Amino acid sequence: MSGRWSLRRRLGLWLALSVAALWLAAATVAGLVLRHEIDEVFDSALQEVAQRVLPLAYSELLAREDGAGTHHMPPVGPHREFITYVVRDAQGRVLLQSSDAEQMAIPAGLAPGFHTTPRLRTYTEAAVRGTVIVTTAEELDHRAAAVGRAVMALIWPLVALVPIALAGVWITLRLTLKPVLAFRHAIAARGRGNLAPVPEQGLPEEMAPVAGAVNALMERLRGALEAERGFAANSAHELRTPIAAALAQTQRLVAELPEGPAQERARAISGALRRLSRLSEKLLQLAKAEGAGLLAEAPAPLAPVLRHVIADLDRRTDRAGDIDLSITAEGGPVSDLDPDAFAVLARNLIENALKHGAPDTPVQVRLTADRLEITNRGAVVPAERMAQLLRPFERGPTGAEGSGLGLAIAAAICRGAGLALEIASPIPGATEGFSAVVRFPEARS
């Protein structure tokens, strides 16, 4: 797997993290503002209770028959008092208090105004020249709990927001980057002989120049490949004609000369010219294999091409009897490989097997729906030599004549057409021989 991150993943992750961070920051600031506002509201409530209790307490004290003792104000119903109060005289004696005041332990001797103790927030109000003092109190834990609940009410939606934000960002990025992804797939589909221009419609402004540059590059590449193919075609014509003429003259010279050293030298020249002719043909095949034009416009069956190759080999070498051909009942693969390229591929593999196989043993040629497999009996190729056989002019441990280009041409065609070429020695499941397998992918529509 590639360790690279896609642009969609990076943007999606960072946008989701940014939204979450901004939400947390906003919740923090809102919590601080909320705490300040809650403090003001509760302080106002303390002051309001003190100012309401003070005249009521004074009236209650005047109406009492005995001026001594502490009077508890009974609760109207069962409830929890968040704000309590206590009324004292100038000497600090408790005259009146709410039902939960004793539990709060409101301190005495506080000056008028707001005060904060480790447990309480208090407000003190004095009247009648300081003879009646009312102190209201509230626990700080109550305020903290109220602020905490409010802040959590802001933070908890983040749990649901993050997945929703991720989904929304992913959908948005997918729709936004769809033209870019299509552009990427269009570039990935190029190669293997497909040098058609990449569509530029629908691309964002930032990507349009890239598409133009890619199309310009492919146009230059197409021109270079066409020039290369033209050179190969012209070279084939220019080389074959003089070599064929020289070979014909040499063969005539062999026929006219009497037996002797001169005729033997003429035969040697004729053999050298035939080898040169075969070498030039192989070099031209290699040049075409390493160029372009390896794919056809439409998929076509390969079985008729293989039969034609074997029939042509029989006409030239009279060795069709050494080939055991097997084609599946379905008729073999239907591939977008150019028929001429497949003919060159099959011919080189079969010729290589005939040339280097053990005498009097047939070459097995099997064509199935997804592969071409060619095997021959013979000496085992050492493992350290296997990879080198796919290079030009490399040969295995054999005394047969050859240029060392057959497997190199087959490998170049497979590489350019996107096929897989697998070679093995010995044959899988055997103790000798050599096998070459070409695997065909599903034909493109």
Side-chain angles (χ1 to χ4, degrees):
M1 288 181 62
S2 174
R4 299 176 181 175
W5 280 49
S6 68
L7 184 61
R8 285 185 299 173
R9 186 180 300 178
R10 287 189 179 186
L11 288 175
L13 179 60
W14 284 110
L15 286 175
L17 291 178
S18 299
V19 170
L22 289 175
W23 187 280
L24 288 174
T28 302
V29 174
L32 295 175
V33 174
L34 189 60
R35 182 180 182 86
H36 176 72
E37 295 297 328
I38 287 178
D39 285 341
E40 288 188 350
V41 170
F42 281 111
D43 284 349
S44 176
L46 287 176
Q47 186 176 10
E48 186 74 17
V49 170
Q51 292 174 353
R52 289 289 182 266
V53 167
L54 188 58
L56 296 176
Y58 184 67
S59 300
E60 175 69 19
L61 293 176
L62 291 178
R64 289 167 58 179
E65 298 179 356
D66 54 337
T70 300
H71 184 66
H72 293 269
M73 296 295 294
V76 177
H79 69 283
R80 180 183 176 186
E81 288 186 352
F82 294 109
I83 298 178
T84 62
Y85 61 89
V86 61
V87 181
R88 295 186 176 93
D89 59 13
Q91 287 74 34
R93 289 176 299 181
V94 177
L95 305 177
L96 182 67
Q97 64 182 11
S98 62
S99 57
D100 292 342
E102 292 182 354
Q103 301 176 9
M104 300 282 284
I106 301 173
L110 297 176
F114 291 101
H115 298 277
T116 302
T117 69
R119 288 182 57 249
L120 303 174
R121 175 70 170 173
T122 65
Y123 176 77
T124 302
E125 186 85 26
V128 194
R129 297 182 182 181
T131 58
V132 179
I133 302 170
V134 177
T135 301
T136 55
E138 178 193 9
E139 290 184 340
L140 294 177
D141 291 343
H142 173 245
R143 294 193 178 189
V147 174
R149 287 191 298 270
V151 172
M152 291 306 297
L154 295 174
I155 294 178
W156 273 113
L158 184 63
V159 177
L161 176 67
V162 170
I164 296 174
L166 283 174
V169 167
W170 184 83
I171 294 174
T172 302
L173 290 177
R174 186 176 182 85
L175 295 176
T176 304
L177 297 178
K178 189 175 181 180
V180 179
L181 296 178
F183 177 65
R184 185 193 72 177
H185 294 316
I187 293 180
R190 297 309 185 265
R192 294 183 57 201
N194 181 10
L195 298 178
V198 178
E200 302 181 27
Q201 295 79 10
L203 287 177
E205 182 179 354
E206 294 79 5
M207 296 298 298
V210 178
V214 170
N215 288 334
L217 177 62
M218 286 195 294
E219 183 63 31
R220 291 195 295 270
L221 180 60
R222 187 185 300 108
L225 292 176
E226 289 177 354
E228 182 180 345
R229 287 197 295 271
F231 172 77
N234 294 331
S235 299
H237 175 73
E238 296 297 330
L239 286 174
R240 287 171 181 169
T241 301
I243 291 175
L247 181 58
Q249 293 295 329
T250 305
Q251 290 174 342
R252 182 176 180 180
L253 183 62
V254 170
E256 293 176 352
L257 287 174
E259 293 288 340
Q263 190 183 62
E264 292 299 324
R265 286 196 296 271
R267 286 196 179 95
I269 295 173
S270 177
L273 287 173
R274 278 193 293 269
R275 289 192 296 272
L276 179 60
S277 177
R278 290 194 297 269
L279 179 60
S280 64
E281 182 180 0
K282 295 293 183 182
L283 288 174
L284 290 174
Q285 290 177 358
L286 181 62
K288 180 178 180 180
E290 291 179 343
L294 299 178
L295 296 180
E297 294 294 331
L302 300 181
V305 180
L306 180 60
R307 293 191 183 95
H308 177 76
V309 168
I310 294 177
D312 186 63
L313 282 173
D314 185 40
R315 285 193 300 270
R316 294 190 179 191
T317 63
D318 194 25
R319 294 197 63 182
D322 297 331
I323 299 175
D324 183 8
L325 176 62
S326 173
I327 300 177
T328 57
E330 295 80 5
V334 176
S335 174
D336 55 3
L337 179 63
D338 183 75
D340 290 338
F342 175 71
V344 173
L345 169 66
R347 178 185 294 274
N348 278 278
L349 291 178
I350 295 174
E351 286 181 346
N352 189 76
L354 289 171
K355 189 177 298 183
H356 302 294
D360 303 325
T361 59
V363 172
Q364 304 288 334
V365 179
R366 289 184 292 175
L367 184 65
T368 64
D370 63 345
R371 72 177 64 185
L372 169 66
E373 184 174 356
I374 300 173
T375 60
N376 63 276
R377 300 290 175 174
V380 175
V381 180
E384 61 274 11
R385 295 281 298 168
M386 291 295 293
Q388 300 176 3
L389 293 181
L390 301 180
R391 302 174 185 173
F393 304 107
E394 291 287 346
R395 305 181 65 205
T398 177
E401 291 186 1
S403 59
L405 291 173
L407 286 178
I409 292 172
I413 293 176
C414 291
R415 185 168 53 250
L419 308 178
L421 174 62
E422 302 171 0
I423 58 175
S425 182
I427 300 172
T431 58
E432 62 174 354
F434 184 91
S435 72
V437 178
V438 178
R439 299 186 183 276
F440 297 96
E442 184 180 354
R444 61 185 174 89
S445 57

